[in-house]
């Protein structure tokens, strides 16, 4: 109760000072401006990291820095993404499930409100996102790459996709890195820390975006990180998944009544495979019992998951560097740090050469569907799917000045809710028009009530799933979803959070009602 009281009492005072500071900054001469105490924002996005792939959500992977943010802050049980990299980033930056040329990046509005804004990491948008929302166009400084690149730079064969600094293409030797050989997760953080130092030196509040690529394929990691996990996964995916499920109940992420979904493979019929190694590729997307494999096969699969764990571990190490810098500069107390993933764990077969094991720069390997199934414990299915395994990610919010410690909150919330949250924090307003043409209404609500310990008013639907083939639409406890453009499925998530009991045939009127609601967004 004491921590809850702290949230309720501190926050109104913080808001009052924000308002006073804003008015003072607007009206006073530069020499007389008072300190701007609006909160800083650091938003960290993981890539293809499943719901249960971090320690504070049940994983055996070592993520002490994320665990610290969780124990000193808030975790949500239900936080929706758009189920794939590019639609997630598109909806995040515009606040819209589906936008167009009238879309506006919230980064521009933060900067107009007096925030410094810089970023380092992955950029990937849908075609409907206008160019003036892209990172180089909106951030003061932006170190970026598009979609998928290798982790060790330069890669062994070719530099396949370039990195950019404020829109200028960089050669591999131009990339600044403090740790050699150059590894992407590390040098993304190097750039972020340099930007952070620049912003801290100013009096302005700041926004730092840190969209990591970890742990998206290819599975490449530093040898010392792999060594920490080698052999730990010889227990197999069945046992690891069961252990995570029990741990999630113990720490309160899951209610005791939740049922673990059956293990299943990748059912996506629209995801192709490269040529060659047909006998391996036929099996790769499937689930099969761990004990059905030979010892040699088990060892290969142990290595695969050890590399994935090493990538998550290295990301957490770098998040620790950011926390340390904020703490050292006295900025941690009034900084909102957010962490979530762009979608559930990935079961895609984009493997290039099965003769080269995962880990080094010479490899280009992916995570097996059965391991991705572990990452999405306790849910069904994967990245791209609107089912919970693809669309529901972990979510951590850490803000000591306003958020009470060690909270686990039901939600639900969606990443489109972050746009109005940031505007409220900054005292900014969403424009009614862009170049004389009306803008779309934002699709989300501010999460400030959740942060303050109040009940969140949810008056909008939640949409996810990559393309119409895998779309989901949630209104209240009812969720409409399908896969492979098949018939609609219907679930009551209050009673059935792991989507085991399809009620579509029992409630056809509900299916029609939700389908009509979805059609309003995608006509």
């Amino acid at each position: 109760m004491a921590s809850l009281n702290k949230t309720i009492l501190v926050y109104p005072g913080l808001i009052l000072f924000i308002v006073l500071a804003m008015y003072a900054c607007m009206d006073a001469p530069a020499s007389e401006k008072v300190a701007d105490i609006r909160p800083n924002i650091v938003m960290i996005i993981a890539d293809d990291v499943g719901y249960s792939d971090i320690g504070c959500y049940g994983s055996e992977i070592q993520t002490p820095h994320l665990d610290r943010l969780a124990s000193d802050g808030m975790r949500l049980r239900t936080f929706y993404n758009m189920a794939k990299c590019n639609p997630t980033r598109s909806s995040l930056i515009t606040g819209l499930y589906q936008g167009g040329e009238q879309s506006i990046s919230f980064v521009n509005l933060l900067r107009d409100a007096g925030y410094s804004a810089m970023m380092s990491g992955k950029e990937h948008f849908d075609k409907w996102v206008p160019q003036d929302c892209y990172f180089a166009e909106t951030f003061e400084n932006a170190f970026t790459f598009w979609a998928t690149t290798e982790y060790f730079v330069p890669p062994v064969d070719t530099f396949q996709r370039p990195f950019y600094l404020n829109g200028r293409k960089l050669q591999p030797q131009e990339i600044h890195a403090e740790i050699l050989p150059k590894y992407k997760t590390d040098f993304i953080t190097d750039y972020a820390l340099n930007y952070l130092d620049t912003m801290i030196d100013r009096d302005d509040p700041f926004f730092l975006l840190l969209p990591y690529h970890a742990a998206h394929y290819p599975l490449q990691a530093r040898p010392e990180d792999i060594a920490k996990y080698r052999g730990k996964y010889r227990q197999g995916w069945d046992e690891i998944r069961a252990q995570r499920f029990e741990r999630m109940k113990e720490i309160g992420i899951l209610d005791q009544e939740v049922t673990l979904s059956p293990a299943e493979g990748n059912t996506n019929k629209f995801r192709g495979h490269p040529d060659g190694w047909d006998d391996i590729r036929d099996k790769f997307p499937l689930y099969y019992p761990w004990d059905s494999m030979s010892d040699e096969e088990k060892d290969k699969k142990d290595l695969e998951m050890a590399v994935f764990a090493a990538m998550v571990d290295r990301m957490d190490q770098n998040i620790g560097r950011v926390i340390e810098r904020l703490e050292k500069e006295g900025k941690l107390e009034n900084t909102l740090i957010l962490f979530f993933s762009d979608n559930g764990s990935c079961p895609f077969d984009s493997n290039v050469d099965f003769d080269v094991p995962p880990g080094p720069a010479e490899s280009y390997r992916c995570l097996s569907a059965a391991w991705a199934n572990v990452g999405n414990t306790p849910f069904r299915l994967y990245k791209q799917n609107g089912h919970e395994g693809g669309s529901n990610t972990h979510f951590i919010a850490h803000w000591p000045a306003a958020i009470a410690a060690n909270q686990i909150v039901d939600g639900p919330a969606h990443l489109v809710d972050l746009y109005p949250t940031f505007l409220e924090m900054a005292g900014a307003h969403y424009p009614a028009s862009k170049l004389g043409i009306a803008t779309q209404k934002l699709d989300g609500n501010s999460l400030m009530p959740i942060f303050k310990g109040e009940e969140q008013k949810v008056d909008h639907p939640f949409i996810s799933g990559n393309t119409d083939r895998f779309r989901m639409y949630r209104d209240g406890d009812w969720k409409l979803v399908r896969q492979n453009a098949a018939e609609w499925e219907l679930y009551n998530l209050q009673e059935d959070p792991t989507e085991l009991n399809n009620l579509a045939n029992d409630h056809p009127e509900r299916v029609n009602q939700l389908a009509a609601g979805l059609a309003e967004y995608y006509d």
Side-chain angles (χ1 to χ4, degrees):
M1 182 61 70
S3 60
L4 181 59
N5 288 340
K6 175 185 175 183
T7 302
I8 294 172
L9 291 173
V10 170
Y11 192 87
L14 180 61
I15 290 295
L16 175 61
F17 278 106
I18 288 173
V19 173
L20 292 175
M22 287 173 59
Y23 278 106
C25 287
M26 287 188 293
D27 297 336
S31 60
E32 300 177 11
K33 287 183 179 179
V34 299
D36 191 337
I37 62 168
R38 290 176 293 173
N40 310 303
I41 306 166
V42 175
M43 184 163 64
I44 305 170
I45 307 173
D47 201 333
D48 291 4
V49 176
Y51 188 85
S52 73
D53 275 329
I54 59 176
C56 52
Y57 276 74
S59 181
E60 69 294 329
I61 300 173
Q62 297 176 33
T63 57
H65 302 292
L66 286 173
D67 297 350
R68 174 191 173 183
L69 294 179
S71 64
D72 292 343
M74 172 184 291
R75 282 166 282 180
L76 295 188
R77 291 190 177 97
T78 305
F79 182 80
Y80 288 113
N81 51 67
M82 292 301 290
K84 193 171 181 287
C85 315
N86 39 308
T88 283
R89 285 161 178 76
S90 301
S91 292
L92 173 68
I93 207 70
T94 64
L96 302 169
Y97 292 127
Q98 179 75 31
E101 284 301 316
Q102 298 312 114
S103 302
I104 297 174
S105 168
F106 70 78
V107 180
N108 288 329
L109 304 183
L110 290 182
R111 293 184 68 184
D112 288 345
Y115 272 67
S116 299
M118 305 187 190
M119 65 80 56
S120 177
K122 177 175 175 174
E123 183 170 35
H124 196 188
F125 295 122
D126 285 335
K127 293 180 180 179
W128 61 260
V129 176
Q131 188 74 34
D132 59 14
C133 288
Y134 281 33
F135 291 160
E137 304 285 336
T138 53
F139 284 89
E140 181 179 345
N141 280 304
F143 175 73
T144 62
F145 59 94
W146 186 268
T148 302
T149 59
E150 296 86 349
Y151 285 83
F152 289 102
V153 175
V156 170
D157 295 323
T158 58
F159 194 61
Q160 295 186 359
R161 278 202 174 116
F163 291 78
Y164 294 87
L165 184 61
N166 297 325
R168 181 180 71 85
K169 180 179 177 180
L170 296 177
Q171 296 301 315
Q173 64 271 20
E174 293 183 276
I175 295 174
H176 170 72
E178 297 186 8
I179 308 172
L180 298 177
K182 293 179 180 179
Y183 185 75
K184 182 165 51 180
T185 307
D186 293 329
F187 62 68
I188 283 174
T189 311
D190 293 338
Y191 278 92
L193 290 175
N194 287 335
Y195 295 155
L196 188 58
D197 287 342
T198 298
M199 293 188 291
I200 287 175
D201 285 342
R202 304 170 179 174
D203 292 331
D204 304 328
F206 57 80
F207 173 68
L208 175 65
L209 174 61
L210 195 50
Y212 285 112
H213 198 207
H216 194 291
Y217 66 81
L219 296 176
Q220 297 178 351
R222 293 194 183 278
E224 62 270 28
D225 294 330
I226 299 173
K228 293 169 62 174
Y229 296 96
R230 193 67 164 105
K232 293 184 181 296
Y233 293 100
R234 288 298 300 268
Q235 300 173 75
W237 41 59
D238 300 307
E239 180 61 27
I240 296 294
R241 190 167 187 252
Q243 291 175 6
R244 287 193 183 185
F245 182 59
E246 292 306 316
R247 197 176 299 119
M248 295 166 86
K249 289 187 173 183
E250 290 173 5
I251 62 181
I253 289 296
L254 298 179
D255 290 334
Q256 294 299 316
E257 297 76 19
V258 172
T259 301
L260 180 64
S261 64
E264 60 188 323
N266 179 18
T267 58
N268 187 336
K269 295 180 180 179
F270 298 97
R271 181 74 187 187
H273 311 285
D275 295 328
W277 289 279
D278 290 342
D279 56 333
I280 300 177
R281 295 196 191 282
D282 287 344
K283 193 176 183 181
F284 194 84
L286 305 178
Y287 164 79
Y288 41 91
W290 181 262
D291 289 339
S292 67
M293 292 188 292
S294 67
D295 287 344
E296 181 182 3
E297 288 177 309
K298 290 177 181 177
D299 188 65
K300 291 179 179 179
K301 296 300 183 184
D302 168 80
L303 174 61
E304 187 179 281
M305 187 61 187
V307 177
F308 178 87
M311 296 168 75
V312 175
D313 187 307
R314 174 62 59 165
M315 177 181 65
D316 184 79
Q317 294 176 47
N318 279 280
I319 291 171
R321 295 171 64 195
V322 176
I323 297 171
E324 181 182 19
R325 187 66 56 86
L326 291 169
E327 198 163 30
K328 178 182 177 182
E329 299 296 332
K331 298 295 184 180
L332 189 61
E333 180 76 11
N334 195 32
T335 297
L336 171 65
I337 303 177
L338 300 175
F339 174 84
F340 57 94
S341 291
D342 58 4
N343 46 250
S345 191
C346 176
F348 296 167
D349 177 7
S350 296
N351 294 279
V352 171
D353 187 346
F354 284 97
D355 288 338
V356 180
E362 296 84 354
S363 70
Y364 199 100
R365 296 285 297 278
C366 304
L367 196 66
S368 292
W371 282 129
N373 191 228
V374 171
N376 295 333
T377 304
F379 301 122
R380 292 184 54 209
L381 298 175
Y382 309 92
K383 175 180 179 177
Q384 287 201 344
N385 291 92
H387 292 74
E388 296 290 288
S391 63
N392 187 1
T393 182
H394 38 246
F395 179 87
I396 301 171
H398 179 275
W399 183 10
I403 295 177
N406 200 26
Q407 298 182 74
I408 299 177
V409 179
D410 286 335
H414 194 290
L415 58 84
V416 295
D417 295 325
L418 295 177
Y419 195 126
T421 304
F422 297 154
L423 295 189
E424 183 174 346
M425 293 174 67
H429 299 284
Y430 185 63
S433 63
K434 177 182 178 182
L435 299 177
I437 302 175
T439 53
Q440 287 179 242
K441 178 180 178 294
L442 293 176
D443 286 327
N445 294 329
S446 172
L447 297 180
M448 284 298 193
I450 289 181
F451 294 164
K452 292 189 290 182
E454 300 172 359
E455 184 176 351
Q456 171 76 347
K457 178 184 178 182
V458 180
D459 60 2
H460 68 90
F462 299 110
I463 297 176
S464 186
N466 183 49
T467 77
D468 184 58
R469 294 166 172 171
F470 299 96
R471 195 78 71 203
M472 83 82 154
Y473 181 88
R474 176 175 176 174
D475 188 359
D477 294 333
W478 290 96
K479 176 177 172 181
L480 191 72
V481 65
R482 65 178 169 189
Q483 56 175 319
N484 298 315
E487 294 296 319
W488 288 114
E489 303 168 21
L490 179 68
Y491 300 97
N492 186 307
L493 294 184
Q494 178 64 34
E495 301 172 356
D496 181 22
T498 50
E499 299 171 308
L500 304 180
N501 185 21
N502 180 8
L503 301 173
N505 290 335
D506 298 333
H507 300 280
E509 73 291 343
R510 180 78 66 176
V511 172
N512 293 334
Q513 174 194 356
L514 296 177
L518 177 62
E520 294 180 8
Y521 289 85
Y522 300 92
D523 49 21

